[in-house]
Amino acid sequence: MFNLCLFGAGRIGTIHANCAAQNPDVQIKYVVDVFPQAADKVAKQLGATVVDVESALADPEIHAVIIASSTDTHADLIERSALAGKHIFCEKPVDLTVERVETCIRTVKENNVHCAIGFNRRFDPMFAELQQAVRNGQIGSTEIIQITSRDPSPPPAEYIKVSGGLFKDMMIHDFDMARWLLDEEPVEVFANGSCLVDATIGEAGDIDTALVTLKTASGKLCQISNSRRAVYGYDQRIEAFGSDGMLQVNNKLENGLVATGSQGTTTAKPQHFFLERYADAYRLELNNFIEVLRGNAKPLADEKDGLNALLLAEAALESFKTKKAVAVNLKG
Amino acid sequence: MFNLCLFGAGRIGTIHANCAAQNPDVQIKYVVDVFPQAADKVAKQLGATVVDVESALADPEIHAVIIASSTDTHADLIERSALAGKHIFCEKPVDLTVERVETCIRTVKENNVHCAIGFNRRFDPMFAELQQAVRNGQIGSTEIIQITSRDPSPPPAEYIKVSGGLFKDMMIHDFDMARWLLDEEPVEVFANGSCLVDATIGEAGDIDTALVTLKTASGKLCQISNSRRAVYGYDQRIEAFGSDGMLQVNNKLENGLVATGSQGTTTAKPQHFFLERYADAYRLELNNFIEVLRGNAKPLADEKDGLNALLLAEAALESFKTKKAVAVNLKG
Amino acid sequence: MFNLCLFGAGRIGTIHANCAAQNPDVQIKYVVDVFPQAADKVAKQLGATVVDVESALADPEIHAVIIASSTDTHADLIERSALAGKHIFCEKPVDLTVERVETCIRTVKENNVHCAIGFNRRFDPMFAELQQAVRNGQIGSTEIIQITSRDPSPPPAEYIKVSGGLFKDMMIHDFDMARWLLDEEPVEVFANGSCLVDATIGEAGDIDTALVTLKTASGKLCQISNSRRAVYGYDQRIEAFGSDGMLQVNNKLENGLVATGSQGTTTAKPQHFFLERYADAYRLELNNFIEVLRGNAKPLADEKDGLNALLLAEAALESFKTKKAVAVNLKG
Amino acid sequence: MFNLCLFGAGRIGTIHANCAAQNPDVQIKYVVDVFPQAADKVAKQLGATVVDVESALADPEIHAVIIASSTDTHADLIERSALAGKHIFCEKPVDLTVERVETCIRTVKENNVHCAIGFNRRFDPMFAELQQAVRNGQIGSTEIIQITSRDPSPPPAEYIKVSGGLFKDMMIHDFDMARWLLDEEPVEVFANGSCLVDATIGEAGDIDTALVTLKTASGKLCQISNSRRAVYGYDQRIEAFGSDGMLQVNNKLENGLVATGSQGTTTAKPQHFFLERYADAYRLELNNFIEVLRGNAKPLADEKDGLNALLLAEAALESFKTKKAVAVNLKG
């Protein structure tokens, strides 16, 4: 039996905790949240107790923590959990600054705990099949990866202000996918972007539409296309092109009906947003974490992956500002 | 808390019992099977006790039974369960003879229990969306239903001999879908068929390939196309055509990759067989049965639906033998 | 240089004549029509002269005739043309009665002329690829052919009255496709049908919706599904299923746009009707006829094919009336 | 009747001349080529006479010229034809240097002749529908254009050396499509690229794989993805994304068969290369040019479009070398 503590009783924390708790060997023992009401509600659902951070980490029966609190608390909780000898599952991003992430990595390493980072898309069955097929050589040598990632609608401007901006908040997932699929680290980043969707995003100093190009040392190329708004729903597609062909993953649709009428043939919209699209991925991600706790697996994405995605986001931001390609040196 | 008894610890029984047991209010209390080893194994998984039929039905704590034993035991178990006041979930078919099914219906009615029949396809989300859209008038007045239903490979000839034949064993599902989608009872059946797949099926007195045409009183038409063998997997498609357009449900594929190479563009095969294709349907079907026990729902398919599908199968068999369209008078 | 005479200056005749005339070796010398204005107009376009039947057939410079006049004149014109030693391209059907078609066949044979029948779908590139792939064994042994054929809207009731009815007028194309794809003659026909689209069609003694099942001596099965009305356009699909897999030809669409918006993803309607859908087929059909005149080819569909399709239509009509499967004995 | 002169009797020149000659009002009077045998052969097909440039341009009966000779002769022939008062259809590119193209533009303008440039893709029915739908506001305000353009296999290294390089030779078509679809001039270009397909291309100083990002003054973005090799054929896709949705044009396939077998479902490869894929476009392009000669139309792409595409290619080349975004100021 593994006892877990959940930090952050919001929407995504609840999802992670429920996914973990579906495992018969897992008990969510504690829930910690700055909002007592939220903590109470989730604790009741999970049969858990509401405590504070200190108490939770002081309990020797706690094997691991799920960190799903606000981004600015991630690094602190990672370090305190690591020092307490707890294994860690932390939502992305680790932190918005490279220095802080590097400190976390050292602490995690020194305390010999596992730290899985919530790059949930690696667990999506469709993308996992794509990655496996690329690794198996189905397209020969990979040459171009094309990632299209569009949200259904922009978050409120207040969120934008604390989000770290499009590259660190939204495209960070795509940077991680790019690294995972390219199977060779990017060495160069170019970013362009615009504020086309919501003027208040521009006023908050951010962009809502972006194109980024990555290049690896051997010359493999990757394009990432982001928008904060797609009227048809969550647009999550990847295309991998290589010397022997092309592999594509298209959107998952809301239903399977094909309707033909006087206006043509219509199929459903993509599933609306990440909760629907990545429901399987969230489940598999926590299953993987439980296997890590059992000693049967390593995290599919760990703290170094968190750092490397952030380094790409930093480089993209610099490129966007300077209008130059920016060299990056990721940490193997 | 609902206590259930499982009759039949084979593959499909285990699936139904597990689906039911995922509900926190449900306990599979007993497992009954003529093979003690099978019963023991499943009982251990479910935390249940192995007993005989009498003991199970004598226990006043048992609310309902799941009948998934061999076809020739269904009617008997339905009647005994009904007499004991237990609600019933029974795999299709109720029985291979109309008379026996009619007796069951009377007993079920007299004892005022619910009897859900395992026409799992009604619970498939894709077909349910299709049915709902047809009901909502999306294609206007329905004119032609086309059901394509092909198994990946034929069962052994020994199974064929006790199966009741293609119409009662395999097409019975399609007869039920036809009734459900037409929303008006068929009054006429024509069947043609051949033995093209496996000569031993012919030697067992059965066919493995069949086309059946149904007609309702108002003239709506339905085609059913069956084969016991499709090298590409379980082929489960439905097309509904009407005055305002057409709705189609295509196969669910094994994965979402689209691969383009020097041979063209390839997508995955259909999911292999019913366990994969209808995994969601089995889950939703048992959820519906639990809602029936709670008094919140009626069975989506009941004992009368079992009878009516059998009447269509009987008519198809007679039509196949006589080469004539056969009139049917279903029981509203 | 081949000099041709066109009988029938209507829409389809003009199409055939223009297709033939695109060939630099072909001159449409004469146009014959009971409506002088129609004849004049088409003759002017083609650089032809308007004459009567006698004059046209008496001209020794005429190599061949295109018969596209009303159905009730086909047989007579075939016979007169054959007696005059002219090769014949005749629109389907040859005639609405078997006896008359048999007389035509004898006359054609005795006069040693070619008689191509306008079963244009055999020339459609998509269906030709399908037929070739089936012949090449791509699906192993053919087991089920499914033909879906729906018109965009019903013809006027006056046309229905002289059309010979749905089986002889509309499904005759599908009977021909069935024979061509099955590669083995049907021996049994069952037909069902309804009047669901237009009550005036029923008042004219015809049906507008039909399902027909064919069976060959070796047990291969074919389903044909017809409707006189599909709000989304001309629905022309074929599926061939066999021991090694399935081949499908779907509709050709009006354009290639894929539009995704808040209502889902929409593609264009099928091409509206036969003039659009079979434009390539009409061209290739006449090219084939010119190659027949050059001695380089045989008609892909000839007078015997015309007879056999009619025999299937007759059997379907009898089956529809008697509600019995009807045996047929086609003429190899 | 319009008399035309063809400069360049190679493959593409022959195609253009044949497309023009299908118009009954057009006669290809002269063929000019440095290889007399090529000129003779094509002249014979077209019923034309082989002459030299001077004679052709001196003939007052010549209305227009088709320039399809080698790239290094285009500018010279444009100027001489313009000075002789002949309207011009010239294959892309006008020239590999901006200065020379600007001189051509002046000469064309001063002599008041039309100069159509062979950006054939504007005439492709599928892309034309896309452009029209974008113009009609079907996706609201355009935000991102994604152009994928891959050749089936790289040209020989000797061709690469005189081609002007990937940006001027291959991507020039995509730059033109980008301008046409964005409906607003790009002001900034970033290019990245690699030599991944054929090392001899790298040795010739060129790249074979490239990603380019364009940005307009209002912030609209465009991605272009090029490769000199796609094992599955000519990959020509465009996606336009905007505030109200997305429009996509996918590849045209070699045939319409959908084959399902034990390996999944396979559709045909894209049409092999430009001759197949753009056969309709070539025909419509020359039809447009004849309409220009008749005074009924303007060239859909003219000499300024030739210049602007070249300016984008120059900027891309500079960006690739400097690793910086390069500002461009196109000529309205």
Side-chain angles (χ1 to χ4, degrees):
Chain A
M1 176 63 72
F2 296 105
N3 292 298
L4 270 59
C5 171
L6 171 64
F7 295 124
R11 188 171 56 172
I12 194 69
T14 310
I15 287 170
H16 290 319
N18 276 312
C19 287
Q22 280 178 18
N23 197 305
D25 296 344
V26 172
Q27 172 64 39
I28 309 292
K29 189 170 182 187
Y30 298 130
V31 172
V32 181
D33 199 292
V34 292
F35 298 104
Q37 282 188 324
D40 281 346
K41 186 179 161 198
V42 172
K44 189 172 290 178
Q45 287 170 19
L46 295 163
T49 306
V50 175
V51 296
D52 61 13
V53 176
E54 290 72 24
S55 314
L57 294 178
D59 184 344
E61 286 195 341
I62 288 292
H63 296 80
V65 301
I66 295 173
I67 304 176
S69 46
S70 65
T71 293
D72 57 355
T73 66
H74 287 187
D76 191 50
L77 288 170
I78 286 174
E79 291 178 322
R80 291 172 71 179
S81 301
L83 289 167
K86 314 302 186 193
H87 296 299
I88 300 157
F89 175 88
C90 183
E91 253 304 310
K92 67 92 204 165
V94 176
D95 192 82
L96 298 177
T97 69
V98 168
E99 296 68 27
R100 198 78 181 83
V101 178
E102 288 177 334
T103 315
C104 286
I105 290 177
R106 276 193 299 275
T107 309
V108 163
K109 193 176 179 188
E110 287 164 10
N111 290 279
N112 206 27
V113 294
H114 287 295
C115 181
I117 302 299
F119 285 130
N120 56 309
R121 297 182 193 176
R122 292 193 184 204
F123 293 92
D124 175 67
M126 292 166 81
F127 292 145
E129 285 153 1
L130 174 68
Q131 193 257 5
Q132 202 56 52
V134 169
R135 281 292 193 290
N136 291 345
Q138 197 172 334
I139 57 167
S141 174
T142 303
E143 293 168 357
I144 303 173
I145 301 283
Q146 165 72 32
I147 299 175
T148 301
S149 178
R150 297 167 183 155
D151 286 353
S153 54
E158 303 84 61
Y159 174 81
I160 293 288
K161 285 172 191 164
V162 300
S163 71
L166 182 139
F167 296 121
K168 291 186 186 175
D169 175 58
M170 179 178 175
M171 199 180 283
I172 193 131
H173 277 296
D174 305 303
F175 288 128
D176 182 65
M177 289 305 280
R179 291 183 59 238
W180 190 52
L181 290 168
L182 284 167
D183 202 19
E184 181 188 334
E185 295 295 1
V187 296
E188 197 180 297
V189 179
F190 176 80
N192 210 333
S194 302
C195 182
L196 299 172
V197 171
D198 183 347
T200 66
I201 291 176
E203 289 157 15
D206 199 6
I207 53 176
D208 51 34
T209 308
L211 296 182
V212 165
T213 304
L214 308 176
K215 189 180 191 173
T216 70
S218 75
K220 297 176 188 199
L221 298 169
C222 174
Q223 281 185 309
I224 302 170
S225 179
N226 270 189
S227 172
R228 287 282 196 184
R229 187 259 330 277
V231 294
Y232 48 81
Y234 199 37
D235 195 349
Q236 299 284 294
R237 289 172 289 149
I238 301 185
E239 176 179 312
F241 173 77
S243 56
D244 289 351
M246 174 167 65
L247 287 163
Q248 294 168 302
V249 168
N250 291 314
N251 287 309
K252 282 181 73 174
L253 306 186
E254 286 190 338
N255 65 60
L257 283 187
V258 180
T260 301
S262 54
Q263 304 305 309
T265 295
T266 300
T267 51
K269 287 188 293 183
Q271 291 184 331
H272 181 63
F273 209 180
F274 59 94
L275 295 183
E276 296 84 12
R277 173 66 183 83
Y278 292 122
D280 284 343
Y282 287 123
R283 189 174 46 77
L284 295 166
E285 184 175 47
L286 265 291
N287 285 356
N288 173 254
F289 185 60
I290 304 306
E291 289 304 305
V292 170
L293 297 185
R294 288 191 176 118
N296 297 333
K298 290 191 175 179
L300 196 52
D302 66 15
E303 66 277 15
K304 283 185 186 167
D305 295 307
L307 175 62
N308 284 325
L310 182 63
L311 288 168
L312 291 171
E314 289 267 2
L317 192 57
E318 185 187 338
S319 172
F320 174 64
K321 289 177 180 164
T322 62
K323 294 179 181 280
K324 294 180 189 172
V326 170
V328 285
N329 183 13
L330 301 191
K331 310 302 160 69
Chain B
M1 176 63 72
F2 296 105
N3 293 298
L4 271 59
C5 171
L6 170 65
F7 294 124
R11 189 171 55 171
I12 194 68
T14 310
I15 287 170
H16 290 319
N18 277 312
C19 286
Q22 280 177 19
N23 197 305
D25 295 346
V26 171
Q27 173 64 37
I28 308 294
K29 190 170 181 186
Y30 299 129
V31 172
V32 180
D33 198 293
V34 291
F35 298 103
Q37 282 188 324
D40 281 345
K41 187 178 162 201
V42 172
K44 190 171 289 178
Q45 287 169 22
L46 294 163
T49 306
V50 175
V51 296
D52 60 13
V53 177
E54 289 72 22
S55 313
L57 293 178
D59 183 345
E61 287 194 340
I62 289 292
H63 296 80
V65 301
I66 296 172
I67 303 175
S69 45
S70 64
T71 293
D72 57 355
T73 66
H74 288 187
D76 191 50
L77 288 170
I78 286 175
E79 291 178 321
R80 292 172 71 180
S81 302
L83 288 167
K86 314 302 187 193
H87 296 299
I88 299 157
F89 175 90
C90 182
E91 253 304 311
K92 67 90 204 167
V94 176
D95 191 82
L96 298 177
T97 68
V98 169
E99 296 68 27
R100 198 76 181 83
V101 178
E102 287 176 336
T103 315
C104 286
I105 290 177
R106 276 194 298 276
T107 309
V108 163
K109 194 177 179 188
E110 287 164 9
N111 290 279
N112 206 24
V113 294
H114 287 294
C115 180
I117 301 299
F119 285 129
N120 56 309
R121 296 182 194 176
R122 292 193 183 203
F123 293 92
D124 176 65
M126 294 167 80
F127 292 145
E129 285 154 1
L130 174 68
Q131 193 257 5
Q132 202 57 51
V134 169
R135 279 294 192 288
N136 292 344
Q138 196 172 333
I139 57 168
S141 174
T142 302
E143 294 168 357
I144 303 174
I145 302 282
Q146 165 73 34
I147 299 175
T148 302
S149 179
R150 295 165 184 156
D151 286 352
S153 53
E158 302 83 61
Y159 174 81
I160 292 288
K161 287 172 191 166
V162 299
S163 70
L166 181 139
F167 296 120
K168 291 187 186 176
D169 175 56
M170 179 177 176
M171 199 181 281
I172 193 129
H173 278 295
D174 306 302
F175 288 127
D176 183 65
M177 289 304 280
R179 290 182 61 240
W180 190 52
L181 291 167
L182 284 167
D183 202 19
E184 181 189 333
E185 296 296 0
V187 295
E188 195 181 299
V189 180
F190 177 80
N192 210 331
S194 302
C195 182
L196 299 172
V197 172
D198 183 347
T200 66
I201 291 176
E203 290 157 14
D206 199 6
I207 53 175
D208 51 35
T209 308
L211 297 183
V212 165
T213 304
L214 307 177
K215 189 179 192 174
T216 70
S218 76
K220 299 177 187 199
L221 297 169
C222 174
Q223 280 184 311
I224 302 172
S225 177
N226 271 189
S227 172
R228 287 281 195 185
R229 187 261 328 277
V231 294
Y232 48 80
Y234 198 37
D235 195 348
Q236 297 286 293
R237 290 173 288 149
I238 301 184
E239 176 179 311
F241 172 77
S243 57
D244 289 351
M246 174 168 64
L247 287 163
Q248 295 167 303
V249 168
N250 291 314
N251 287 309
K252 284 182 72 175
L253 306 186
E254 287 190 338
N255 65 61
L257 284 186
V258 181
T260 302
S262 52
Q263 303 306 308
T265 295
T266 301
T267 50
K269 286 187 294 183
Q271 291 183 330
H272 181 62
F273 208 178
F274 59 94
L275 296 183
E276 296 84 10
R277 174 65 184 83
Y278 292 121
D280 284 344
Y282 287 123
R283 189 175 45 77
L284 295 166
E285 183 174 48
L286 265 290
N287 286 355
N288 173 255
F289 185 59
I290 305 305
E291 289 304 304
V292 170
L293 296 185
R294 287 192 178 116
N296 298 332
K298 289 192 176 177
L300 197 51
D302 66 13
E303 67 277 14
K304 283 185 186 166
D305 295 306
L307 174 63
N308 284 326
L310 181 64
L311 288 168
L312 290 171
E314 289 267 2
L317 191 58
E318 185 187 337
S319 172
F320 173 64
K321 288 176 181 166
T322 61
K323 294 179 182 281
K324 294 179 189 172
V326 170
V328 285
N329 183 13
L330 301 191
K331 312 299 160 73
Chain C
M1 177 63 71
F2 296 103
N3 292 299
L4 270 59
C5 171
L6 170 65
F7 294 123
R11 187 170 58 171
I12 194 67
T14 310
I15 287 170
H16 290 319
N18 276 314
C19 287
Q22 280 177 19
N23 196 306
D25 295 347
V26 170
Q27 173 64 39
I28 308 294
K29 191 170 181 186
Y30 300 129
V31 173
V32 181
D33 198 291
V34 290
F35 298 103
Q37 282 188 324
D40 280 346
K41 187 178 161 200
V42 172
K44 189 172 290 179
Q45 285 169 23
L46 294 163
T49 306
V50 175
V51 296
D52 60 13
V53 177
E54 290 71 23
S55 313
L57 293 178
D59 182 345
E61 285 193 343
I62 288 292
H63 295 81
V65 300
I66 296 172
I67 303 175
S69 46
S70 64
T71 293
D72 58 354
T73 66
H74 287 187
D76 190 49
L77 287 170
I78 286 174
E79 291 178 322
R80 291 172 69 180
S81 301
L83 289 167
K86 315 302 187 193
H87 296 298
I88 299 157
F89 175 89
C90 182
E91 252 306 309
K92 66 90 205 167
V94 175
D95 192 82
L96 297 178
T97 68
V98 168
E99 297 67 27
R100 199 75 181 85
V101 178
E102 287 177 335
T103 317
C104 286
I105 289 177
R106 277 194 299 276
T107 309
V108 163
K109 192 176 179 188
E110 287 164 9
N111 290 280
N112 205 25
V113 293
H114 287 294
C115 180
I117 301 299
F119 284 129
N120 56 310
R121 296 182 193 176
R122 292 193 184 204
F123 293 92
D124 175 66
M126 292 166 82
F127 292 144
E129 285 154 2
L130 174 68
Q131 193 258 4
Q132 201 57 52
V134 169
R135 280 291 194 290
N136 292 345
Q138 196 172 333
I139 56 167
S141 173
T142 303
E143 293 167 357
I144 303 174
I145 301 283
Q146 164 73 33
I147 300 175
T148 301
S149 178
R150 297 166 183 155
D151 287 353
S153 54
E158 303 83 62
Y159 174 81
I160 292 288
K161 287 172 191 163
V162 300
S163 71
L166 182 139
F167 297 120
K168 291 186 186 176
D169 175 57
M170 179 177 177
M171 199 181 280
I172 193 132
H173 278 295
D174 306 302
F175 288 127
D176 183 65
M177 289 305 279
R179 291 183 59 239
W180 190 51
L181 291 168
L182 284 167
D183 202 19
E184 180 188 332
E185 295 296 2
V187 295
E188 195 180 300
V189 180
F190 176 80
N192 210 331
S194 301
C195 182
L196 299 173
V197 172
D198 183 347
T200 66
I201 291 176
E203 290 157 15
D206 199 6
I207 53 176
D208 50 35
T209 307
L211 297 183
V212 165
T213 304
L214 308 177
K215 189 179 191 173
T216 70
S218 75
K220 298 177 188 200
L221 297 169
C222 175
Q223 280 185 311
I224 301 171
S225 178
N226 270 191
S227 172
R228 286 281 194 185
R229 186 259 330 278
V231 293
Y232 47 81
Y234 198 37
D235 195 348
Q236 298 284 295
R237 290 172 288 149
I238 301 185
E239 176 179 312
F241 172 77
S243 57
D244 289 350
M246 174 169 65
L247 288 162
Q248 294 167 303
V249 168
N250 291 313
N251 286 310
K252 283 181 74 175
L253 306 186
E254 287 190 338
N255 65 59
L257 282 186
V258 180
T260 302
S262 54
Q263 303 307 309
T265 295
T266 301
T267 51
K269 286 187 294 183
Q271 291 183 331
H272 182 63
F273 209 180
F274 60 93
L275 295 182
E276 296 85 11
R277 173 64 185 84
Y278 292 121
D280 284 343
Y282 287 124
R283 187 174 46 77
L284 294 166
E285 184 176 48
L286 266 290
N287 285 356
N288 173 256
F289 184 60
I290 304 306
E291 289 304 305
V292 170
L293 297 185
R294 286 191 178 117
N296 297 332
K298 289 192 174 177
L300 196 52
D302 66 14
E303 67 277 15
K304 284 185 187 168
D305 296 306
L307 174 62
N308 284 325
L310 181 63
L311 287 168
L312 290 171
E314 290 266 3
L317 192 56
E318 185 186 338
S319 172
F320 173 65
K321 289 177 181 165
T322 62
K323 294 179 182 280
K324 294 180 190 172
V326 171
V328 286
N329 183 13
L330 301 191
K331 311 300 162 71
Chain D
M1 177 62 73
F2 295 105
N3 292 299
L4 270 60
C5 171
L6 170 64
F7 294 124
R11 187 171 55 172
I12 193 69
T14 311
I15 287 170
H16 289 319
N18 276 313
C19 286
Q22 279 177 19
N23 196 305
D25 295 345
V26 171
Q27 172 64 38
I28 308 294
K29 189 170 183 186
Y30 299 129
V31 172
V32 181
D33 198 293
V34 290
F35 298 103
Q37 282 188 324
D40 280 346
K41 187 179 161 200
V42 173
K44 187 171 291 179
Q45 287 169 20
L46 295 163
T49 307
V50 175
V51 296
D52 60 14
V53 177
E54 290 72 22
S55 315
L57 294 178
D59 182 346
E61 287 194 341
I62 289 292
H63 295 80
V65 300
I66 294 171
I67 303 177
S69 47
S70 65
T71 293
D72 58 355
T73 66
H74 287 187
D76 191 51
L77 287 170
I78 286 174
E79 291 179 322
R80 292 172 72 179
S81 301
L83 289 166
K86 314 302 188 195
H87 296 299
I88 298 156
F89 176 89
C90 182
E91 251 305 311
K92 66 89 206 170
V94 176
D95 192 83
L96 298 177
T97 69
V98 169
E99 297 69 25
R100 197 77 181 82
V101 178
E102 288 177 336
T103 315
C104 287
I105 290 177
R106 278 194 298 277
T107 309
V108 163
K109 193 176 179 189
E110 287 165 9
N111 290 280
N112 207 24
V113 294
H114 287 294
C115 179
I117 301 299
F119 285 129
N120 56 310
R121 296 181 195 177
R122 292 194 184 203
F123 293 92
D124 175 66
M126 292 166 81
F127 292 144
E129 284 154 2
L130 174 67
Q131 193 258 3
Q132 201 57 50
V134 169
R135 281 291 193 290
N136 291 346
Q138 196 172 334
I139 57 167
S141 174
T142 302
E143 294 168 356
I144 303 173
I145 301 283
Q146 165 73 33
I147 300 175
T148 302
S149 179
R150 296 166 184 156
D151 286 352
S153 54
E158 303 83 60
Y159 174 81
I160 292 288
K161 286 173 191 163
V162 299
S163 70
L166 180 140
F167 296 120
K168 291 186 185 175
D169 175 57
M170 179 177 175
M171 200 181 280
I172 194 131
H173 278 295
D174 305 302
F175 288 128
D176 182 65
M177 289 304 279
R179 292 183 58 240
W180 190 53
L181 290 168
L182 284 167
D183 202 18
E184 181 188 334
E185 295 296 1
V187 296
E188 197 180 298
V189 180
F190 176 79
N192 209 332
S194 302
C195 182
L196 298 172
V197 172
D198 183 347
T200 66
I201 291 176
E203 289 158 15
D206 199 5
I207 53 177
D208 51 35
T209 307
L211 296 183
V212 165
T213 304
L214 307 177
K215 189 180 191 174
T216 70
S218 75
K220 297 177 189 201
L221 297 168
C222 175
Q223 281 185 310
I224 302 171
S225 177
N226 270 188
S227 171
R228 286 284 195 184
R229 185 259 331 275
V231 294
Y232 48 82
Y234 198 37
D235 195 349
Q236 299 284 294
R237 289 172 289 150
I238 301 185
E239 175 179 312
F241 172 77
S243 56
D244 288 351
M246 174 168 65
L247 288 163
Q248 294 168 302
V249 168
N250 291 315
N251 287 309
K252 285 181 71 175
L253 306 186
E254 288 190 338
N255 65 60
L257 283 186
V258 180
T260 301
S262 54
Q263 304 305 309
T265 294
T266 301
T267 51
K269 287 188 294 183
Q271 291 183 332
H272 182 62
F273 209 179
F274 60 94
L275 295 182
E276 295 84 11
R277 173 65 184 83
Y278 292 121
D280 284 344
Y282 287 123
R283 187 173 48 75
L284 295 166
E285 184 176 47
L286 265 292
N287 286 356
N288 173 256
F289 185 59
I290 304 306
E291 288 305 304
V292 170
L293 296 185
R294 287 192 178 118
N296 297 333
K298 289 192 176 179
L300 196 52
D302 66 13
E303 66 277 14
K304 283 185 187 167
D305 295 306
L307 174 62
N308 283 327
L310 181 63
L311 287 168
L312 290 171
E314 289 267 1
L317 192 57
E318 186 187 336
S319 173
F320 174 64
K321 288 177 180 163
T322 62
K323 293 179 183 281
K324 294 179 189 172
V326 170
V328 285
N329 184 11
L330 301 190
K331 311 301 161 72

